[in-house]
Amino acid sequence: MDYRTYIAARIRIEGVSAEEIANAVAVPPDTTLGDYALPCFKFARILKKSPAVIAEELAAVYPADEVIESASAVGGYLNFRVNKAGLANEVLTAVESAGSDYGSSDMGRGKTVCIDYSSINIAKPFHIGHLSTTVLGGSLYRIFKFLGYRTVGINHLGDYGTQFGKLISAYKRWGNRELVEKGGIRALNELYVRFHREAEADPALDDEARAYFKKIEEGDAECLALFDWFKALTLKDVQKIYDLLGITFDSYAGESFYQDKMAPVVEELREKGLLVESRGAQIVDLEAYGMPPCIILKSDGTSLYATRDMAAAIYRKKTYDFDKCLYVVAYQQNLHFKQFFKVLELMGKEWAKDLVHVAYGMVSLEDGAMSTRKGNVVFLEDVIARCIEKASAILKEKNPGLADSDRVATTVGVGAVVFGALYNSKIKDITFSYEKALNFDGETSVYVQYTCARAASVLQKAKESGIAYMGTEIPAPETAEAELLKALSALPETVLAAARDYEPSYLARYAVDTAQKFNKFYIDCKIMGAETEEKRAFRLRLTAATLTVLTNALTLLGIGVPEKM
Ligand code: ARG
């Protein structure tokens, strides 16, 4: 039941659509006056009446029924009271019948969403800077799938550029097979860092690196083999992290994949008269749009990041015929995306409007940021390992007899890292704190996971005592029960909003809020010791429904739910 739509369908305001009314209906901060409220202030101008008079008049004609029990005017607000028994019946039936699909929809049927996320750089460490894109993209992937879309997850690998020439040069000078085989990305990164240090003193190294990169481009067998090996090593290393985070991709077509697909794009730009020469480089002038020019070819004829992204967008449209193509990339690249989206639009690609840069803020650790070149970089692998370790220590203290404690600690530790990156609105810069992320009483994944375990344990007790509770008569809900029911009813709209705004944080906040409502209910209402059998059965159904809803929300975020904690 979508109460906002339900209410809006029963209200007429001259010159205002039902949709606008539905959007204006809000949940008041203090629910003692009503479960929903329509503020009438913004209709005052159109209707030429005071908000208080409008609310009075609307209240007088509102048709109360078994869904919305009453409408009353207070100040400029029209307050609605939901029929709680009806709500209980409706929500419980919906959750129980849909189960792990509760909150899903088929609105995306026949539509395709491409999601470019994680998009790591070969031979560079998978550092904390790639955390957000990976988990945000992974969550959006799940959310859109849940809404019935065909989703294409793309890891647009950074596997092209002079840095690979540098790496080959460094490898040949100071590396060897055994060292790199053993050390993986870390060894490659050390070589890269050393190259930069030594090149500062000896600029000839840079020329050597350029020459090696040219060899890769020309298909030199030895250089290509090294490059492919570096790539395989990197992917093998990061796979461990993807497995922990439950992240998958449908395509690993990275920048080098577009090497032979850029020439036609450059040609098309030339034909359409968009290309101009500027100091030897080929550019598209974007001054009319308040942006610096988009450089397509450097003066030595080599392509750029933007050139490859244009080829990639065209390729994706042709291959997947997407309805939307999302790029989950840090806001530092805002200009890059604005520029090449604009160039595609100028080329007459009407689908350029379907390209979306899903920008997010920076994640840093309490002890400072990182730089790949200098080498003081925080590996995501280390952050996750430390979280698991801490989770393990906390669990040992809280529940020494916990079965399967290593697996639970992994689920809790990984969840804390993921949740830490998804809890805030994505555009915000955040500082990750181990203490905060693993606080059992905070706004954390472990708090939600613990709530799930608590619900599961109540249900287990009921099962052991042979108590059947499905399909029973529903008594009039008490306050804490009603508040919990309203929260449970809001999952479907929260999933929709998260997809609409590309904000998994809505689901993270929703999960915490719902867990809080459950815990309030758990304290206020005795479940197994309820006054009547009818109440006990109803509370058990509520508990089961809460477990389903929280599990669905966490799953969409990419976070696991341990049975016991
Ligand atoms: N590899 C790039 C980086 O780490 C991100 C690529 C994002 N995707 C894209 N199509 N440009 O900064």
Side-chain angles (χ1 to χ4, degrees):
M1 164 74 53
D2 179 351
Y3 284 100
R4 291 185 172 87
T5 310
Y6 191 91
I7 290 168
R10 282 154 187 80
I11 291 177
R12 299 265 170 282
I13 302 176
E14 276 283 322
V16 185
S17 72
E19 203 190 330
E20 283 171 83
I21 298 176
N23 286 337
V25 173
V27 176
D30 172 10
T31 49
T32 51
L33 286 174
D35 302 303
Y36 290 93
L38 176 68
C40 297
F41 305 92
K42 61 170 159 194
F43 312 125
R45 274 248 310 271
I46 320 173
L47 298 180
K48 302 200 174 60
K49 285 178 196 164
S50 78
V53 171
I54 298 172
E56 296 282 351
E57 289 180 0
L58 290 175
V61 297
Y62 185 86
D65 55 18
E66 70 286 353
V67 177
I68 299 294
E69 176 173 90
S70 69
S72 56
V74 177
Y77 292 88
L78 182 56
N79 295 324
F80 302 94
R81 212 174 280 288
V82 167
N83 176 323
K84 303 300 181 324
L87 168 74
N89 186 34
E90 169 141 13
V91 174
L92 292 179
T93 315
V95 178
E96 286 161 4
S97 63
S100 59
D101 284 334
Y102 176 66
S104 71
S105 116
D106 60 1
M107 65 176 275
R109 187 182 296 152
K111 294 196 186 128
T112 298
V113 181
C114 288
I115 311 180
D116 177 326
Y117 66 108
S118 198
S119 300
I120 52 155
N121 301 319
I122 295 303
K124 295 243 187 91
F126 194 141
H127 57 72
I128 184 137
H130 280 112
L131 170 63
S132 296
T133 168
T134 305
V135 299
L136 265 171
S139 178
L140 290 172
Y141 187 87
R142 292 161 195 264
I143 291 171
F144 278 98
K145 225 184 190 36
F146 203 53
L147 293 176
Y149 290 84
R150 172 170 80 124
T151 44
V152 184
I154 304 171
N155 199 334
H156 184 76
L157 301 175
D159 57 1
Y160 198 88
T162 41
Q163 69 267 34
F164 296 102
K166 292 178 186 171
L167 207 57
I168 289 179
S169 161
Y171 174 77
K172 291 194 146 223
R173 283 170 177 268
W174 313 297
N176 61 62
R177 192 155 274 274
E178 203 198 332
L179 176 105
V180 172
E181 204 82 69
K182 260 216 332 253
I185 296 185
R186 286 174 202 251
L188 290 176
N189 186 51
E190 273 159 28
L191 285 171
Y192 187 70
V193 170
R194 174 153 181 199
F195 181 93
H196 275 275
R197 204 171 51 229
E198 307 233 358
E200 262 170 40
D202 179 6
L205 279 180
D206 282 319
D207 295 331
E208 182 178 298
R210 257 190 294 278
Y212 277 125
F213 177 57
K214 198 141 190 276
K215 281 191 169 190
I216 301 179
E217 280 193 299
E218 289 162 358
D220 173 87
E222 192 207 354
C223 288
L224 263 189
L226 278 175
F227 172 65
D228 285 342
W229 179 46
F230 295 156
K231 195 160 154 174
L233 271 176
T234 308
L235 287 176
K236 193 171 135 236
D237 252 18
V238 299
Q239 191 56 44
K240 285 183 271 178
I241 298 178
Y242 288 147
D243 286 346
L244 271 176
L245 297 174
I247 295 287
T248 57
F249 299 96
D250 303 293
S251 161
Y252 286 86
E255 295 188 40
S256 70
F257 178 77
Y258 299 100
Q259 197 171 338
D260 61 352
K261 297 173 183 61
M262 288 183 282
V265 180
V266 176
E267 202 36 53
E268 190 178 335
L269 281 166
R270 205 184 305 276
E271 263 166 35
K272 294 191 165 149
L274 289 164
L275 225 46
V276 270
E277 199 185 301
S278 165
R279 277 180 268 140
Q282 299 292 321
I283 63 158
V284 176
D285 184 10
L286 295 175
E287 210 189 325
Y289 309 96
M291 287 185 263
C294 184
I295 307 172
I296 305 294
L297 294 176
K298 283 194 249 177
S299 52
D300 62 2
T302 51
S303 66
L304 284 103
Y305 182 50
T307 327
R308 294 187 284 281
D309 253 329
M310 292 183 46
I314 292 169
Y315 173 84
R316 289 173 192 173
K317 184 65 192 175
K318 200 173 76 203
T319 309
Y320 307 113
D321 193 23
F322 57 73
D323 292 88
K324 283 233 177 301
C325 179
L326 314 183
Y327 296 83
V328 186
V329 184
Y331 65 61
Q332 280 88 344
Q333 296 190 28
N334 276 355
L335 178 63
H336 164 72
F337 286 99
K338 267 171 66 185
Q339 284 180 310
F340 90 79
F341 290 177
K342 186 50 123 185
V343 175
L344 286 166
E345 184 195 316
L346 294 174
M347 287 170 88
K349 314 277 181 212
E350 57 77 33
W351 48 265
K353 64 174 189 341
D354 304 321
L355 304 173
V356 184
H357 176 204
V358 179
Y360 62 83
M362 280 212 331
V363 181
S364 47
L365 285 174
E366 276 173 322
D367 45 15
M370 73 272 139
S371 143
T372 324
R373 288 197 182 179
K374 300 244 171 55
N376 67 359
V377 40
V378 183
F379 284 74
L380 184 54
E381 196 182 356
D382 297 342
V383 175
I384 296 176
R386 198 160 148 203
C387 257
I388 295 176
E389 212 175 280
K390 281 193 179 271
S392 171
I394 299 174
L395 286 168
K396 277 211 180 80
E397 199 192 301
K398 290 204 183 247
N399 187 355
L402 180 65
D404 217 0
S405 61
D406 283 348
R407 206 172 48 100
V408 178
T410 303
T411 309
V412 170
V414 170
V417 177
V418 174
F419 200 84
L422 294 182
Y423 189 62
N424 287 294
S425 153
K426 61 184 183 291
I427 201 66
K428 279 196 188 150
D429 289 337
I430 49 179
T431 307
F432 185 83
S433 144
Y434 292 98
E435 266 64 44
K436 281 198 197 121
L438 285 165
N439 181 350
F440 271 59
D441 302 314
E443 295 171 356
T444 55
S445 50
V446 60
Y447 171 72
V448 181
Q449 287 168 325
Y450 188 72
T451 305
C452 288
R454 173 176 269 179
S457 121
V458 173
L459 296 172
Q460 180 60 27
K461 270 195 208 113
K463 197 172 155 197
E464 281 161 13
S465 324
I467 298 169
Y469 50 85
M470 284 314 198
T472 44
E473 223 21 71
I474 294 173
E478 295 170 20
T479 309
E481 293 166 334
E483 289 303 308
L484 176 58
L485 280 163
K486 279 193 275 174
L488 300 182
S489 79
L491 179 65
E493 67 196 63
T494 308
V495 177
L496 287 180
R500 181 196 63 212
D501 296 345
Y502 313 114
E503 274 292 4
S505 65
Y506 295 173
L507 278 163
R509 286 176 184 265
Y510 170 80
V512 167
D513 177 63
T514 305
Q516 285 169 347
K517 300 260 161 69
F518 176 80
N519 286 317
K520 175 96 172 72
F521 153 77
Y522 184 85
I523 293 164
D524 288 6
C525 308
K526 286 198 206 78
I527 302 177
M528 292 298 279
E531 305 88 307
T532 64
E533 266 182 38
E534 194 185 47
K535 273 188 188 286
R536 183 179 64 194
F538 170 52
R539 288 176 186 166
L540 284 167
R541 281 179 76 182
L542 253 175
T543 303
T546 304
L547 181 55
T548 302
V549 165
L550 290 179
T551 303
N552 292 3
L554 287 182
T555 304
L556 288 171
L557 296 171
I559 296 173
V561 180
E563 274 147 51
K564 287 203 174 115
M565 268 174 75

